[in-house]
Each structure stands twice: as C-alpha cells, then as structure tokens.
Amino acid sequence: MSTQTPGLRESKKRETRQLISDHATRLFLRQGFEATTISDIADAARVAKKTVTNYFPRKEDLAFDHHEEFTAGLARALTGRAPGETALAALRRAFLGAAARQDPVAGFAGADFTRMIADSPTLTTRLRDLHDLREEALAHALAEATGAPGDDITPRAAAAQLAAAHRVLFRRIQELTLAGRAPGEITALVSADATTVFGLLEPSLGDYAPA
C-alpha cells in the first residue's frame, strides 16, 4: 500500500509527465519527430515505454503537449466574455492578448519547434486535426450560448468563420517565425493582420452571440 498522500501522488505524476515531455521535445528538435521513437524517449527519461504511453497515448501528444488547452481555447474565450460582448469581439480580444503575450498556444513556438512541425507530415496532419477539434468545441459553445436548437446550422457556420480567422493568423505566425522575424516584430505584424481578418467578419458576425 502506498504511503504517499493524494496531493503528493498528483505532484509526482505532474513531475513525471513534464520530465517525459521535456526529453521528448529535446529529442524531436535534435533528430526530428519522425525519427524519434517512444523507446528513445523512454530511455532518455529513464522510464518504461508503458509509462510514456500512459501519459501520452499518441506520439503526437508529446509534441503538442498543450493540445487540450489549444482545442478548448476559443470556446473558453467565448464563455469568458464580458456582459454585452459579442463572440467576435471576445475572440478578437483573446487573440490580441495571446499575441501580446507571445503565447506558444497561439503559434509563438520558436523557430526550431515551428520548423519541426513543418518538416513532419504527421505533425502537420495532427495540427489540422487540432484546428478542427477547436472549431467543433467553439460550435458547441456557441450553440449553448445562443440556445440554438440542435438542427440550427448557425452556430456551426459562425464557428467555422471564427475558427478560420484564428487558423489563418496561426499560420501567419508560423510563416513569420520561419522567415526569421523576431517575436516582437511578429506580434506587431499579426496584431495589424488581426484587424483586417476580424474586420472582414464584422458585417456577418459583428452582432452575433452577445453575452
């Protein structure tokens, strides 16, 4: 029987998970995602392969360690909007805040990590899947926020447009990163781009789903 308290066990689990993630990232950057095996990661972290897969069922999860935060991000921004704030305004504010913080979840992952994604067909495909999951979560949140019936396509259509704006800006951050632009310069450029991108949605979604 374990003598560890629940809090200590959870702390130990978090430490182990972070250790595995850190070693995986180091190996991915050094030798490429496709060339790195679960055995390589387990050996580097000095844990069993089963331990790695218990924490990270998919190898891609080791690269996109914050995938749950990413997929829930737009829905969370919607539910956290201020009274009277529309969905478009809330999501624009969330993006600008992430750009100002140079948040890795928004795409500010650094040149080496961004290049690793671009060079890996597996990670590129997984990133598209995560964008789709993020859009789906936003559609559910919009349907709940507006009380739309199940057969109403409006929340899905709105989510597709709003998520596409974030997808375009995410890709823009990646492109600027790979072009060697400094993080501060990228923030300034994508913040200006955001004005254009979200402005295009104003005629159709400017008054949609106020809190």
Side-chain angles (χ1 to χ4, degrees):
M1 181 181 296
S2 174
T3 59
Q4 291 184 337
T5 64
L8 185 58
R9 284 196 297 272
E10 287 304 312
S11 177
K12 191 66 175 178
K13 286 180 181 178
R14 286 193 298 271
E15 289 176 4
T16 301
R17 188 182 192 281
Q18 189 62 53
L19 175 71
I20 294 169
S21 176
D22 289 346
H23 279 289
T25 299
R26 178 177 57 80
L27 289 171
F28 291 154
L29 293 175
R30 188 175 71 191
Q31 58 194 43
F33 176 83
E34 308 292 348
T36 302
T37 67
I38 296 297
S39 293
D40 292 336
I41 297 165
D43 290 345
R46 298 189 177 184
V47 297
K49 283 177 61 177
K50 183 67 173 175
T51 301
V52 175
T53 55
N54 280 343
Y55 283 99
F56 300 93
R58 301 172 59 152
K59 184 177 151 186
E60 299 95 306
D61 293 340
L62 284 154
F64 296 120
D65 193 12
H66 300 290
H67 65 278
E68 293 176 351
E69 182 182 348
F70 179 86
T71 56
L74 300 186
R76 189 175 295 125
L78 178 77
T79 57
R81 67 199 189 285
E85 188 176 32
T86 65
L88 176 60
L91 293 174
R92 176 168 46 206
R93 176 172 55 80
F95 175 79
L96 291 173
R101 296 191 305 273
Q102 297 173 7
D103 190 339
V105 177
F108 288 85
D112 291 341
F113 194 88
T114 302
R115 190 172 296 107
M116 178 192 76
I117 295 172
D119 289 344
S120 168
T122 303
L123 291 181
T124 300
T125 299
R126 179 56 176 162
L127 182 57
R128 283 198 297 267
D129 291 342
L130 293 175
H131 278 293
D132 290 343
L133 290 171
R134 185 166 70 161
E135 178 184 320
E136 183 179 337
L138 177 59
H140 284 301
L142 284 169
E144 183 174 338
T146 59
D151 60 350
D152 187 353
I153 200 170
T154 306
R156 281 186 286 159
Q161 296 176 68
L162 292 165
H166 282 264
R167 192 184 301 229
V168 166
L169 291 166
F170 187 98
R171 189 175 299 125
R172 177 70 166 145
I173 293 169
Q174 288 184 303
E175 291 169 352
L176 291 168
T177 300
L178 292 175
R181 300 296 187 95
E185 186 180 8
I186 296 173
T187 293
L189 289 169
V190 298
S191 295
D193 289 339
T195 299
T196 299
V197 171
F198 289 110
L200 291 171
L201 300 181
E202 280 287 351
S204 57
L205 295 173
D207 298 325
Y208 179 65

